[in-house]
Amino acid sequence: MALLVIASCQLMVVLDITIVNIALPDIQRSLDFSTTSLSWVINAYTLTFGGLLLLGGRMGDILGRRRVFIFGVLLFVLASLLGGMAQNSWQLLAARALQGVGGAIASPTSLALISTTFREGPERNRAFGVFAAVSAGGGAIGLLAGGILVEWLNWRWVLFVNVPIGLLIALATPRWIPESERHPGHFDIAGALTSTIGMVLLVYGFIRAAQDGWREGLTLAAFGGAVVFLLLFILIERRSRQPITPLHMFADRNRAGTYGMMLSLAAAIFGMFFFLTLFVQNVLDFSPIQAGLAFLPVSAVIAVGAGLASQLLPRYGPKPFMVTGAILAAAGLAWLTLTDVHSTYAGSILGPILVFSLGMGMEFVSLTLMALSNVRIHETGAASGLLNATQQVGGSLGLSILVTMFGTASNNEADKQIPAFLAQATPVERLRFERTGQLPAHYADEVLTAGVSAAFIMAAIFTAIAAVIALLVIQVRPSDLERLQGGGMPTP
């Protein structure tokens, strides 16, 4: 029951990234977002989530993980309610940012609760397998749930649905999860703020570049500000006695490699869901429910990959699954680059996403175990927060880079399609284009597909980088295998 409560919270937090994805076309029409600015509906959540995860993990260590877990869940519920009631774009983005704060408090605490609730060895391996499957597969479940809610109700219910779920989790937690030991310390507020502001500016710079070009003043100012704040963050962490990001954790070769892999893989999976959602609804004309069903196989195959990895990890160690998983993910994304306006779901989408999902299922179990291996008990919150932070920051930063690739490629394609349209357009069609700036469906599909294909090229490169890191950096020691088999001693 403890695992059910913890996994339910993680499902709610992860699911919220993609359940909103399926509603993006409706949100865009309702609140007047452009295609490039639409990514902020995702990034407003993931940036505050990723930027404050380390502080959330630290809060659990100092104040007690169960208490902090409940507070994070209730804050998430409040933000979801406000988001569902939003009447314009800034209200929605503010609510999404507040959701990220709640998720940042609840999520690392839930992962740390697994480390302290389940004994190291097969029992914890299975618990991590469930947690990883929920983390990776929750995205596809969110797309299906979002499709049902948007089709039967409206886009606001993709946020309202969190309210009853979150309240049930908050009520069940005191009954099934014991309070953890509290460790004295203080909060590194300066580190949390500088890292979050730096990442927001960096992501804004990439998205601004997609809209207005790399030499535009605000683009350059955003990148410059990002460099300043991130350098300041590193200086603060080096001098702090209790930093929000314990830099000594990067001294472990395997853990540093794991964080690098998570950055790259999160960028790929965020991009895959974001762009395929737009493609199947706008080009293939899928309804929201059809789009959700299209991604349902992703959850099943991720669960298969996670189950396979958790069963075989004690025998072979995580490295073979980290290498194989990254190669499979890269192959699936490379296959998706062949998508064009004549593609079909069965012929061009299903195969690649199944290959990609099998690889990601293997990855999430392996990365989770490796990131928390050899971590002292009082630092499990910080370690789990850092893993989650690299996932969310990697997803946000990667998505902004992919949006930049998408924007550049789609603008180039538009330069080809607009003259072709004007050459054969009727006077009425010309007048409509001058008034709205919108190309007819056939030409708009060509523009969107060109951008999506370019984004998948970059996503495939991200996963290839992860494969190289797994191959060259990760090393599994005999003591690691002994712990996975339940024979090692916990780190004091």
Side-chain angles (χ1 to χ4, degrees), residues 51-58 186-193 195 233 236-237 240 242-247 382 386:
L52 298 176
L53 271 166
L54 301 173
L55 185 62
R58 188 71 177 148
H186 72 275
F187 300 113
D188 181 13
I189 303 295
L193 290 177
S195 64
F233 166 68
I236 290 171
E237 298 308 281
S240 176
Q242 292 184 323
I244 192 173
T245 306
L247 297 180
L386 190 55

Side-chain angles (χ1 to χ4, degrees), residues 21-189:
N21 252 328
I22 208 75
L24 287 176
D26 288 75
I27 292 173
Q28 184 176 17
R29 288 188 291 268
S30 176
L31 301 181
D32 296 324
F33 283 95
S34 68
T35 301
T36 48
S37 65
L38 191 63
S39 63
W40 279 108
V41 178
I42 306 298
N43 287 331
Y45 176 74
T46 55
L47 279 174
T48 51
F49 190 8
L52 298 176
L53 271 166
L54 301 173
L55 185 62
R58 188 71 177 148
M59 286 175 65
D61 290 339
I62 295 173
L63 301 177
R65 293 184 184 122
R66 188 179 72 179
R67 179 182 296 107
V68 170
F69 178 76
I70 294 172
F71 174 74
V73 169
L74 291 176
L75 184 60
F76 192 89
V77 166
L78 173 63
S80 299
L81 183 63
L82 294 174
M85 297 167 60
Q87 298 300 309
N88 53 50
S89 58
W90 75 262
Q91 290 176 352
L92 177 61
L93 295 182
R96 291 287 286 164
L98 186 61
Q99 272 188 306
V101 177
I105 295 171
S107 184
T109 312
S110 64
L111 184 55
L113 283 170
I114 288 182
S115 296
T116 55
T117 304
F118 298 93
R119 291 194 304 271
E120 194 162 30
E123 182 178 291
R124 191 184 294 180
N125 293 348
R126 287 192 295 271
F128 275 139
V130 172
F131 189 89
V134 166
S135 298
I141 296 171
L143 290 168
L144 177 59
I148 293 171
L149 291 170
V150 171
E151 184 108 347
W152 291 353
L153 299 169
N154 60 54
W155 68 264
R156 298 180 184 278
W157 282 92
V158 302
L159 298 167
F160 286 147
V161 71
N162 294 322
V163 176
I165 297 173
L167 290 176
L168 285 174
I169 292 171
L171 290 171
T173 299
R175 178 178 176 85
W176 298 108
I177 298 178
E179 183 58 276
S180 64
E181 180 183 353
R182 297 168 65 174
H183 302 279
H186 72 275
F187 300 113
D188 181 13
I189 303 295

Side-chain angles (χ1 to χ4, degrees), residues 307-327:
L308 181 68
S310 61
Q311 289 293 323
L312 298 178
L313 269 168
R315 182 182 303 175
Y316 300 106
K319 181 168 181 173
F321 300 98
M322 297 170 90
V323 174
T324 304
I327 291 173

Side-chain angles (χ1 to χ4, degrees), residues 36 39-40 43 198-214 218-220 222-223 226 230 393 396-408 458 462:
T36 48
S39 63
W40 279 108
N43 287 331
M199 288 308 305
V200 168
L201 288 172
L202 186 59
V203 168
Y204 178 75
F206 279 110
I207 294 176
R208 186 86 188 183
Q211 293 176 318
D212 301 304
W214 292 91
L218 277 177
T219 302
L220 296 175
F223 283 128
L230 292 175
V393 170
S396 297
L397 181 58
L399 181 57
S400 67
I401 295 171
L402 297 179
V403 166
T404 304
M405 295 288 293
F406 169 87
T408 302
M458 192 69 229
F462 285 144

Side-chain angles (χ1 to χ4, degrees), residues 271-284:
M272 190 272 286
F273 281 129
F274 182 84
F275 289 108
L276 273 187
T277 300
L278 293 178
F279 180 82
V280 298
Q281 290 193 70
N282 292 330
V283 178
L284 300 185

Side-chain angles (χ1 to χ4, degrees), residues 258-269 390 394-395 398 459 461-467 469:
T258 297
Y259 294 146
M261 289 184 66
M262 183 61 88
L263 280 169
S264 298
L265 293 170
I269 196 166
T390 54
I461 292 173
F462 285 144
T463 48
I465 291 172
I469 294 173

